[in-house]
Amino acid sequence: MDPVNALGRRKAAVARVIVSEGKGKITVNNRDFREYFGAETLQYVVTQPLVALNALEKYDIKVNLDGGGVKGQAEALRLGITRALVQVDPENKAVLKANGFVTRDPREVERKKPGRPKARKRFQFSKR
């Protein structure tokens, strides 16, 4: 199997994923993903697509992660892994779509508007 490239995004995070056959090693920015994502919940988010396909020990995954916070990066990585697994075998898409991993989450931070303290918040109104 040739290595498969895929891209996952979430908020400001971008994950460039390379999937090849192997023993289940996930490397993020030249570190083990368990070391990179300290929280177990984030480690769980990253491995969700592999667990859904029973492919934890089947592929080696190399990732270049950039931008955003740790949660956004974990979810970007999940999307990147999902897209790569769909490229490897298109039959995987039905299972991954049923679990909701194929859809990119479009929510982004709303920009701050001028004359306001935050994006939607207004300064306190004073009648006099």
Side-chain angles (χ1 to χ4, degrees), residues 24-45:
K25 190 175 180 198
I26 302 174
T27 310
V28 179
N29 294 349
N30 297 319
R31 289 159 59 189
D32 184 57
F33 86 104
R34 287 183 182 84
E35 183 187 325
Y36 190 87
F37 297 109
E40 284 189 30
T41 52
L42 297 177
Q43 294 172 18
Y44 170 73
V45 166

Side-chain angles (χ1 to χ4, degrees), residues 95-106:
V95 176
L96 295 169
K97 193 173 179 79
N99 287 311
F101 304 144
V102 177
T103 309
R104 186 211 189 278
D105 193 340

Side-chain angles (χ1 to χ4, degrees), residues 2-9 14-20 61-65 76-88:
D2 290 335
V4 175
N5 290 338
L7 187 74
R9 288 194 202 95
V14 179
R16 293 170 191 86
V17 179
I18 300 167
V19 174
S20 55
I61 301 171
K62 236 185 133 199
V63 185
N64 180 348
L65 258 176
L77 178 51
R78 178 176 69 184
L79 180 62
I81 291 172
T82 300
R83 287 179 171 173
L85 291 173
V86 168
Q87 281 183 23
V88 168

Side-chain angles (χ1 to χ4, degrees), residues 44-58:
Y44 170 73
V45 166
V46 168
T47 56
Q48 275 179 318
L50 297 166
V51 171
L53 297 174
N54 294 324
L56 265 175
E57 310 289 313
K58 204 172 174 186

Side-chain angles (χ1 to χ4, degrees), residues 84-121:
L85 291 173
V86 168
Q87 281 183 23
V88 168
D89 185 8
E91 292 175 13
N92 292 338
K93 188 169 183 176
V95 176
L96 295 169
K97 193 173 179 79
N99 287 311
F101 304 144
V102 177
T103 309
R104 186 211 189 278
D105 193 340
R107 296 176 294 175
E108 297 273 341
V109 177
E110 191 173 334
R111 77 175 196 87
K112 183 197 169 297
K113 285 29 165 239
R116 296 194 188 167
K118 290 170 36 178
R120 295 188 176 204
K121 189 177 183 181

